[in-house]
Amino acid sequence: MSDIAPHGLHHVTAIASDPQRNVDFYTRVLGLRLVKQTVNFDAPDTYHLYYGDTQGTPSTILTFFPWRDVPSGRQGSGLTTATAFSVPPESMGWWQRHLTGLGLELDGPRTRDGEEVLTLRDPDGMVIDLVAATGDARSGWDGVAGVPAEQAVRGLHSVTMSERLPEATAELLSTTLGMRLQGEDGDRARFAMGAGGAGAVVDVAADSRPRGLQAGGTVHHIAFRASDQATQARWRQELVEAGLRVTEIIDRQYFTSIYFHEPGGVLLEIATDQPGFTVDEPLLELGRSLKLPPWLEPSREQIAAALPPLRVDAPVESS
Ligand code: ZN
């Protein structure tokens, strides 16, 4: 099915607790743009917050369901255990100073697959890798006072799926999803999509730990890019024929989606590049106010009243 193979990561969705703390960390510490403030369409009493580059381009997007009273998750097998962002190679020293200056504990940098990797945790304990990636032409978001444009996060780099039976996951990625095995390093295998490189990489790590607990500070699912809805529909058909249980195509307002589980238990999604985040508000206004899809708009008053207030224009404090 290489003709419809994914051409990169679309987004990663994770679980947080306090929404304000989540916004403050991802916008002011990592310098991402809040590109959409909406609700979980399947449970509209919870926010769904989207971060990314200026436009929220697919491959730059990290999203959260902030459930205020969620318990902390536990790392282990059957989970996406790290989400990596791409930063310019020469920015690693700046990031170390910036993050240390804000009181964050860092692990590294160490070298993986020829690139420097710095690891930190967000306020809910989610593992974030910053990878000094060469040849990443994406420009990131330059609208944050505390993070200069030349150091800005460029977008997602890769994800790490931790698996007790990595061969079964590798088989799905390579055979059914058409990804290329790019290299192996100890217990870790790297798969590339499309042109490969930052934003188009999945690492599968052998992990003998017990199954992880998906809750606060863990990844909920990862999504791959389909160029359009026709490709997505063909893809769905191929996955069904391969024996996977796949959802119907679901309207997520900013893209359409299908979901299925890989053999180790990680929830995967295939999402379309279109229509994107400017479908319901102008580029300059992205993320400033609560947006709802047409089918939830009649309940706006009730939905908004149940959500905690969110400050999204907080001034950036100098560190
Ligand atoms: Zn998703």
Side-chain angles (χ1 to χ4, degrees):
M1 60 187 296
S2 58
D3 60 325
I4 56 166
H7 57 288
L9 293 164
H10 187 286
H11 64 268
V12 171
T13 292
I15 303 167
S17 52
D18 184 68
Q20 188 66 58
R21 194 170 64 162
N22 187 256
V23 168
D24 290 347
F25 182 82
Y26 284 97
T27 59
R28 295 156 76 179
V29 177
L30 282 195
L32 305 182
R33 184 179 192 188
L34 179 68
V35 293
K36 194 63 64 181
Q37 193 189 134
T38 184
V39 293
N40 180 342
F41 295 173
D42 302 322
D45 58 343
T46 307
Y47 278 116
H48 193 180
L49 304 174
Y50 289 75
Y51 304 93
D53 69 357
T54 308
Q55 295 86 11
T57 309
S59 89
T60 72
I61 307 163
L62 174 63
T63 95
F64 284 92
F65 299 130
W67 284 308
R68 274 175 294 178
D69 299 318
V70 73
S72 292
R74 187 184 63 241
Q75 292 281 45
S77 57
L79 283 184
T80 298
T81 51
T83 301
F85 284 101
S86 164
V87 298
E90 61 280 8
S91 73
M92 208 42 122
W94 184 88
W95 278 103
Q96 279 182 276
R97 289 190 299 278
H98 171 66
L99 297 169
T100 307
L102 294 168
L104 273 82
E105 280 185 35
L106 306 177
D107 182 8
R110 62 192 182 287
T111 302
R112 182 195 297 158
D113 202 38
E115 294 170 324
E116 273 193 307
V117 181
L118 187 64
T119 300
L120 60 138
R121 286 177 177 259
D122 85 356
D124 288 297
M126 173 157 153
V127 177
I128 301 288
D129 288 335
L130 297 183
V131 180
T134 49
D136 189 345
R138 297 173 295 176
S139 55
W141 162 238
D142 63 359
V144 181
V147 181
E150 58 270 30
Q151 329 288 4
V153 166
R154 289 340 196 205
L156 292 169
H157 176 276
S158 54
V159 290
T160 300
M161 294 163 62
S162 292
E163 303 285 359
R164 284 183 84 95
L165 298 170
E167 303 78 14
T169 300
E171 171 73 14
L172 175 82
L173 297 185
S174 59
T175 306
T176 312
L177 296 180
M179 298 184 194
R180 302 184 305 281
L181 176 64
Q182 203 175 47
E184 288 177 280
D185 181 9
D187 287 343
R188 180 180 283 266
R190 173 157 287 192
F191 292 86
M193 296 166 265
V201 173
V202 176
D203 285 347
V204 178
D207 191 329
S208 58
R209 289 179 293 181
R211 195 171 173 81
L213 174 68
Q214 192 175 64
T218 64
V219 171
H220 187 271
H221 64 266
I222 56 182
F224 304 119
R225 298 174 68 172
S227 48
D228 53 43
Q229 286 198 22
T231 305
Q232 182 179 53
R234 285 166 60 207
W235 201 334
R236 183 178 183 283
Q237 189 59 34
E238 299 242 11
L239 292 167
V240 168
E241 284 166 11
L244 289 151
R245 288 177 53 190
V246 189
T247 66
E248 296 299 320
I249 294 173
I250 299 171
D251 183 1
R252 294 307 191 196
Q253 178 77 351
Y254 311 107
F255 41 85
T256 59
S257 300
I258 57 174
Y259 302 85
F260 56 100
H261 285 93
E262 56 86 27
V266 175
L267 181 61
L268 303 178
E269 172 184 352
I270 293 166
T272 52
D273 282 0
Q274 302 296 331
F277 295 102
T278 53
V279 72
D280 61 359
E281 57 186 340
L283 185 61
L284 284 171
E285 300 294 321
L286 290 184
R288 298 263 181 92
S289 59
L290 180 68
K291 304 307 290 184
L292 297 173
W295 62 92
L296 292 177
E297 199 57 59
S299 313
R300 170 175 283 273
E301 204 174 329
Q302 187 187 345
I303 288 170
L307 294 168
L310 208 54
R311 268 182 303 106
V312 297
D313 283 325
V316 176
E317 290 162 15
S318 59
S319 57

